[in-house]
């Protein structure tokens, strides 16, 4: 199993102290989190993309490029690249450049994105968002694979023998499809035979497991090798401590502050108590043995071989958060690495010798 640390670069007052750090300092925290993730042995570091409050993740390519310059081993993930909002040509240019600067350490997780404010900002409607996402992805995918592209597009000017530079380092970049609540992203991933990354954060496991089952069904329907199926999954929080009692006690103030914030903001509340959150959400709160057992329970339903945890302290004292991640890497990750397989591909740059051939299906828009 492989492990990512991930941030959406949320920028709101600390749940416990009420202090809102300056924007500059919040970006500094992200860089420090990436350095810590590499130091502790995480396999990847992910940065989200949002274009509305309370997020500062509108430019993941810029953030990841800086992280690429500061690190040397860890793979860099987007979570997610919102292709429904982006021009696929410009998105390709940015990510191909990042791919070179990171020497092929880039993985993309793509998706339509969420949030009414960012849809309004980019003049995208709920009715056309999925169509925009699919079209942008098809064009983006072709540009990465072909030196010249012709495409009769609806949501951007058509392309005729278009050349887009720079040509990529990875041939092609590995693309995951982010999945939260709808089948469209699952169907797109299965059709192309590409990995799925389940959000697995807001609700109990059942709706996510149902989408993963649908993904597996559609994967085989399209004739792909079942042995190549790859699923990643998120988590709703992390606090690993020597005992379950210590973990729950340390996390309780954060949970209660976040619960109060959700109610004040009119956000839906799924888990009313910390005990319910620990029991039925994907949060990893407990002793190392409890966390290992929980990941196994989720693996039984999702079959995931990649797991992401929160890179941010999220209200925990920084020293407590670091100790939690250290204990995760020393007492949890080694067990899961032994007991759950890795994804069925090399965890490294996708170079021409291993690139999938261009087919009629992969070049159709």
């Amino acid at each position: 199993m492989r492990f990512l640390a991930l941030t959406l670069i949320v920028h709101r007052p600390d749940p416990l102290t009420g202090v809102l750090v300056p924007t500059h300092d919040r970006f500094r925290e992200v860089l420090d989190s990436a350095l810590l993730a590499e130091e502790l042995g995480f396999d990847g570091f992910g940065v989200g993309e949002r274009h509305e409050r309370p997020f500062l993740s509108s430019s993941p390519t810029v953030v990841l490029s800086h992280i690429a310059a500061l690190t040397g081993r860890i793979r860099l993930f987007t979570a997610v690249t919102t292709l429904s909002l982006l021009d696929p040509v410009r998105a390709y240019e940015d990510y191909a450049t990042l791919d070179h600067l990171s020497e092929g350490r880039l993985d993309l997780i793509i998706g339509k994105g969420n949030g009414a404010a960012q849809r309004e900002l980019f003049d995208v409607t709920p009715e056309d968002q999925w169509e925009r996402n699919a079209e942008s992805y098809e064009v983006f995918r072709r540009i990465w694979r072909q030196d010249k592209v012709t495409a009769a597009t609806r949501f951007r000017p058509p392309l005729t023998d278009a050349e887009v530079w720079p040509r990529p380092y990875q041939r092609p970049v590995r693309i995951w499809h982010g999945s939260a609540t709808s089948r469209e992203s699952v169907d797109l991933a299965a059709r192309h035979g590409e990995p799925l990354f389940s959000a697995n954060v807001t609700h109990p496991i059942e709706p996510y497991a149902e989408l993963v089952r649908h993904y597996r069904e559609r994967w085989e329907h399209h004739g792909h090798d079942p042995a190549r199926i790859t699923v990643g999954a998120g988590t709703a929080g992390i606090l690993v401590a020597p005992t379950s009692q210590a973990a729950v006690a340390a996390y309780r103030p954060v949970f209660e502050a976040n619960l109060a914030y959700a109610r004040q903001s009119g956000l839906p509340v799924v888990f009313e108590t910390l005990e319910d959150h620990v029991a039925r959400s994907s949060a990893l709160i407990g002793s190392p043995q409890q966390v290992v057992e929980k990941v196994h329970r989720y693996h039984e339903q999702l079959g995931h071989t990649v797991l992401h945890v929160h890179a941010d302290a999220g209200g925990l004292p920084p020293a407590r958060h670091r100790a939690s991640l250290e204990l995760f890497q020393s007492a949890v990750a080694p067990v899961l690495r032994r007991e759950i397989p890795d994804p069925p591909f090399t965890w490294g740059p996708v170079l021409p010798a291993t690139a999938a051939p261009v087919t009629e299906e992969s070049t159709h828009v």
Side-chain angles (χ1 to χ4, degrees):
M1 183 171 242
R2 297 285 182 158
F3 303 98
L4 316 180
L6 184 143
T7 178
L8 299 180
I9 321 185
V10 176
H11 190 226
R12 65 178 180 89
D14 184 280
L16 301 185
T17 67
V19 173
L20 179 68
V21 302
T23 297
H24 175 83
D25 293 351
R26 184 68 186 96
F27 280 123
R28 184 67 248 177
E29 289 175 353
V30 172
L31 301 180
D32 290 343
S33 293
L35 290 170
L36 177 62
E38 177 157 274
E39 174 191 337
L40 295 181
F42 280 88
D43 301 292
F45 188 85
V47 174
E49 180 182 336
R50 297 288 183 90
H51 299 270
E52 59 186 339
R53 291 176 181 267
F55 305 98
L56 300 178
S57 49
S58 59
S59 300
T61 49
V62 177
V63 177
L64 289 171
S65 289
H66 196 101
I67 292 171
L70 297 174
T71 58
R73 174 195 59 81
I74 200 165
R75 289 196 68 77
L76 310 174
F77 282 72
T78 64
V80 301
T81 297
T82 53
L83 283 177
S84 66
L85 309 179
L86 306 177
D87 182 303
V89 175
R90 185 67 181 128
Y92 166 81
E93 292 172 334
D94 286 343
Y95 282 111
T97 300
L98 170 56
D99 194 37
H100 279 281
L101 294 176
S102 67
E103 296 186 329
R105 285 190 282 145
L106 176 65
D107 272 48
L108 296 178
I109 307 175
I110 67 108
K112 70 170 181 60
N114 294 306
Q118 62 183 16
R119 283 197 301 265
E120 294 173 3
L121 188 65
F122 289 90
D123 193 27
V124 173
T125 69
E127 292 74 23
D128 69 17
Q129 195 166 11
W130 278 115
E131 294 179 9
R132 287 177 178 271
N133 182 69
E135 178 182 286
S136 291
Y137 176 61
E138 297 288 353
V139 173
F140 182 93
R141 191 173 189 274
R142 287 180 56 186
I143 294 173
W144 206 285
R145 287 163 166 75
Q146 298 175 300
D147 292 337
K148 293 184 178 181
V149 172
T150 296
T153 50
R154 289 179 55 202
F155 299 107
R156 60 145 289 125
L159 301 172
T160 303
D161 288 334
E163 297 181 275
V164 189
W165 297 88
R167 300 313 299 149
Y169 184 90
Q170 294 187 92
R171 301 294 183 98
V173 69
R174 182 175 300 112
I175 296 180
W176 305 66
H177 294 254
S179 168
T181 59
S182 301
R183 289 191 171 194
E184 285 87 345
S185 56
V186 170
D187 291 336
L188 191 63
R191 175 155 60 90
H192 285 296
E194 292 169 335
L196 187 76
F197 216 109
S198 173
N200 192 42
V201 168
T202 307
H203 302 283
I205 192 172
E206 288 79 11
Y208 304 113
E210 192 281 328
L211 285 172
V212 170
R213 288 192 293 270
H214 178 68
Y215 168 65
R216 294 177 181 277
E217 292 168 3
R218 299 309 297 168
W219 178 283
E220 295 195 30
H221 169 81
H222 288 292
H224 304 302
D225 181 359
R228 303 295 298 174
I229 286 178
T230 306
V231 176
T235 55
I238 184 168
L239 203 165
V240 188
T243 67
S244 60
Q245 294 85 352
V248 170
Y251 201 79
R252 187 174 298 279
V254 174
F255 175 83
E256 292 178 348
N258 286 330
L259 181 63
Y261 174 82
R263 287 173 171 161
Q264 181 181 4
S265 304
L267 300 173
V269 174
V270 178
F271 305 102
E272 296 280 354
T273 67
L274 175 58
E275 287 70 23
D276 191 31
H277 183 65
V278 172
R280 294 196 305 124
S281 84
S282 61
L284 304 179
I285 300 168
S287 67
Q289 183 60 34
Q290 287 175 312
V291 170
V292 167
E293 291 172 358
K294 188 168 196 177
V295 173
H296 269 292
R297 290 198 302 273
Y298 271 71
H299 178 72
E300 288 174 3
Q301 295 201 50
L302 301 177
H304 58 311
T305 53
V306 178
L307 179 77
H308 88 53
V309 302
H310 289 196
D312 302 316
L316 292 171
R320 167 74 76 172
H321 180 58
R322 179 183 178 114
S324 172
L325 295 182
E326 288 176 341
L327 188 55
F328 177 86
Q329 281 291 4
S330 64
V332 175
V335 178
L336 295 174
R337 289 187 195 279
R338 289 195 304 269
E339 297 177 350
I340 297 177
D342 279 351
F345 48 72
T346 300
W347 193 263
V350 182
L351 300 177
T354 60
V358 175
T359 66
E360 182 179 352
E361 177 189 41
S362 70
T363 59
H364 175 70
V365 172

